[in-house]
């Protein structure tokens, strides 16, 4: 590992840096000053820390659960699209699958709205790894 300006050993690439940061987080060690953005970095902020304020913990937990549900919904949708592209499904199955996916998307949007959230609020920033959820596909022309 190369040494940094202070002589400390550091990771050789950003993936190793992210792995070390994750390892520290899972060991529940306090964040180190080097976990933040480098001095002078603009446009990218470090991922937010956990806020254990009793007034917001329920909302944050709900947001986390909805994020996981949305991630699973998107994975199922992409898998369904792959099956359609491969021709594995009958026309009736494709129609039923498309309707089911649209209903799931609408229900997720309604569930988020009922709790004062939007689907965009569910996209967690994973720091150096980027956002958790992929960007939405552009609407077809």
């Amino acid at each position: 590992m190369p040494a940094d300006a202070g002589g400390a050993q550091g990771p050789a690439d950003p993936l190793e840096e992210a792995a070390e940061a994750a390892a520290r987080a899972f060991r529940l060690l306090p964040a180190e000053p080097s976990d933040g953005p480098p001095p002078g970095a603009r446009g990218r902020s470090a991922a937010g820390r956990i806020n254990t304020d009793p007034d917001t913990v329920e909302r944050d937990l709900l947001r986390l659960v909805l994020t996981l549900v949305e991630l699973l919904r998107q994975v199922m949708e992409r898998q369904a699209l792959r099956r359609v592209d491969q021709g594995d499904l009958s026309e009736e199955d494709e129609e039923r699958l498309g309707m089911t996916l649209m209903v799931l998307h609408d229900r997720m949007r309604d569930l988020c709205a009922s709790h004062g959230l939007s689907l965009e609020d569910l996209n967690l920033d994973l720091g150096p790894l980027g956002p958790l959820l992929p960007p939405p596909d552009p609407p077809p022309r």
Side-chain angles (χ1 to χ4, degrees):
M1 286 186 200
D4 65 9
Q9 294 292 319
D13 66 76
L15 292 177
E16 286 183 34
E17 183 179 322
E20 286 181 12
R24 282 193 303 275
F26 286 121
R27 287 192 310 260
L28 299 176
L29 295 176
E32 296 178 4
S34 63
D35 289 341
R42 294 185 187 152
R44 287 208 52 151
S45 61
R49 301 286 180 220
I50 296 174
N51 182 359
T52 56
D53 178 15
D55 297 333
T56 63
V57 76
E58 183 176 340
R59 178 181 163 86
D60 292 343
L61 180 59
L62 176 68
R63 182 177 170 218
L64 178 61
V65 169
L66 289 175
T67 298
L68 293 174
V69 171
E70 175 62 11
L71 178 63
L72 291 173
R73 187 196 68 77
Q74 287 187 15
V75 168
M76 288 179 2
E77 185 175 290
R78 292 185 193 291
Q79 182 62 28
L81 290 174
R82 274 193 217 103
R83 290 190 64 195
V84 167
D85 289 344
Q86 291 173 351
D88 291 348
L89 304 172
S90 69
E91 222 174 278
E92 182 181 297
D93 288 339
E94 286 181 20
E95 183 68 26
R96 188 176 56 222
L97 187 59
M99 291 299 295
T100 301
L101 291 173
M102 286 192 304
V103 168
L104 280 174
H105 185 267
D106 290 343
R107 295 256 169 91
M108 270 304 292
R109 192 175 51 232
D110 294 344
L111 192 56
C112 286
S114 70
H115 294 285
L117 297 167
S118 69
L119 289 174
E120 292 79 28
D121 293 333
L122 304 181
N123 201 355
L124 300 177
D125 178 12
L126 300 178
L129 300 176
L132 174 66
L133 302 173
D137 293 329
R141 293 181 184 200

